[in-house]
Amino acid sequence: SEFYFQKGFAMLCGFTISEYIRKRRLSLAGNEIAGSDIKIIDIAIKNNFESAESFSRAFKLIYKVSPQKYRENRIQTLTSNKENLNSDLLEHLVHHVTVHPQIVILPEIKVVGIRRQTQLRTKEIKKLWEEFYSLEEKAPYSYQEHRKFGIYESSLSDVHFIVGEETIFNEVVGIEVDSFENMVSYFIKKVIPGGRYVVFTHHGCFKTLPQTINYIWGTWLLSTKEEIDSRETFEVLDERFLGYDHPDSELDLYIPLR
């Protein structure tokens, strides 16, 4: 029935069908604003907004800037990369990601590791971690019992760019330490600030991680009342991480909140 369909949709996805449709229209509008010179009022009407004012208010709630400012800067954010809820994405939500994440408060965390420019491709990320592991083995002391971190570094405070396989960004991969004393020279220091974070658990092999990331930024972010902070997003690998290609492997993604 329609009632049970709507209830099941909300339980699975974490938002109602009407919320999805409304936010989907905003994401499509964001793409058109950034990628064309069509009048903003025409884009608003095309996406079922009654006026420029109502469209601008709704747009600023999601993108944090006005439609005009968004166009002037040609900002393309993750929220405008919102995926269609097709059968593949629904299957991913059921089997590979927590759609009802936890909110936690973390203390400051110290990490030592390496910083490299990389892309969100499975082979590139694997190569980065393999480089870190090879250096870790040469260290005069062992970090084996500690959690490992992959930290996505951002140069902007309020804008999260689209994460696709071709996106180039800086990532720090490393391991948690109690202090920076006696750190080997080929590692860099990184401090993760304490504060509120929302935690998503990714289940399965590494190749589906981009889908989880796109769900978080392209779907969950559009439906939550939480506000994203300017601190950096990071992933945590602990004893649940069984390898890049293992179907039962798990890792946690931490998104900063205000």
Side-chain angles (χ1 to χ4, degrees):
S1 70
E2 181 179 344
F3 170 78
Y4 286 108
F5 173 72
Q6 292 191 28
K7 184 177 180 180
F9 186 97
M11 290 179 64
L12 174 63
C13 300
F15 46 85
T16 66
I17 293 174
S18 60
E19 285 175 324
Y20 170 76
I21 292 172
R22 182 170 176 274
K23 302 294 177 63
R24 176 66 183 162
R25 287 171 179 163
L26 277 172
S27 70
L28 292 173
N31 279 335
E32 282 201 272
I33 291 170
S36 76
D37 293 315
I38 300 172
K39 290 181 179 179
I40 290 175
I41 182 60
D42 292 337
I43 293 174
I45 292 171
K46 177 182 176 181
N47 287 282
N48 294 89
F49 286 88
E50 295 179 355
S51 67
E53 291 76 17
S54 63
F55 174 67
S56 182
R57 284 195 300 270
F59 193 91
K60 286 181 73 174
L61 283 175
I62 300 298
Y63 293 95
K64 311 304 180 188
V65 294
S66 69
Q68 186 59 43
K69 187 70 173 178
Y70 186 89
R71 168 167 281 172
E72 288 171 2
N73 294 324
R74 295 293 175 180
I75 299 171
Q76 185 87 4
T77 68
L78 267 164
T79 50
S80 54
N81 195 33
K82 186 170 176 57
E83 298 179 77
N84 290 306
L85 278 177
N86 56 33
S87 58
D88 289 339
L89 178 56
L90 289 174
E91 182 180 358
H92 183 78
L93 296 181
V94 171
H95 298 292
H96 298 294
V97 62
T98 50
V99 294
H100 300 290
Q102 290 185 321
I103 293 177
V104 299
I105 298 178
L106 295 183
E108 180 182 276
I109 298 170
K110 296 181 177 68
V111 174
V112 298
I114 59 174
R115 176 185 288 112
R116 297 289 185 268
Q117 196 172 75
T118 188
Q119 293 175 297
L120 195 63
R121 293 178 173 178
T122 303
K123 64 178 183 180
E124 295 295 329
I125 300 297
K126 286 173 67 175
K127 187 183 349 179
L128 181 57
W129 277 103
E130 286 165 0
E131 181 184 356
F132 167 73
Y133 287 133
S134 68
L135 292 173
E136 183 189 17
E137 289 176 358
K138 298 175 185 177
Y141 33 83
S142 173
Y143 299 113
Q144 295 301 320
E145 300 301 320
H146 293 230
R147 296 181 297 175
K148 296 176 176 64
F149 288 76
I151 306 162
Y152 302 99
E153 293 190 321
S154 173
S155 60
L156 296 174
S157 60
D158 292 317
V159 178
H160 299 273
F161 287 99
I162 285 179
V163 173
E165 288 195 343
E166 303 301 321
T167 307
I168 297 174
F169 60 96
N170 286 333
E171 183 172 7
V172 172
V173 299
I175 199 154
E176 182 179 14
V177 295
D178 296 325
S179 75
F180 294 129
E181 293 182 10
N182 303 317
M183 188 181 78
V184 293
S185 60
Y186 45 78
F187 281 162
I188 59 103
K189 304 173 184 177
K190 182 73 179 181
V191 175
I192 298 174
R196 294 178 75 240
Y197 290 85
V198 59
V199 188
F200 290 85
T201 299
H202 171 76
H203 307 269
C205 58
F206 207 79
K207 69 180 180 180
T208 58
L209 182 60
Q211 288 178 265
T212 294
I213 292 173
N214 281 333
Y215 164 74
I216 295 170
W217 294 108
T219 298
W220 180 83
L221 178 61
L222 290 174
S223 61
T224 184
K225 295 180 181 179
E226 297 287 347
E227 289 190 50
I228 304 302
D229 193 39
S230 60
R231 288 166 288 141
E232 290 157 336
T233 296
F234 58 90
E235 60 196 26
V236 176
L237 285 63
D238 55 23
E239 68 278 357
R240 294 169 299 146
F241 184 75
L242 306 176
Y244 304 105
D245 302 316
H246 200 291
D248 297 322
S249 192
E250 291 187 358
L251 63 83
D252 293 326
L253 285 160
Y254 287 72
I255 315 296
L257 300 177
R258 291 180 180 169

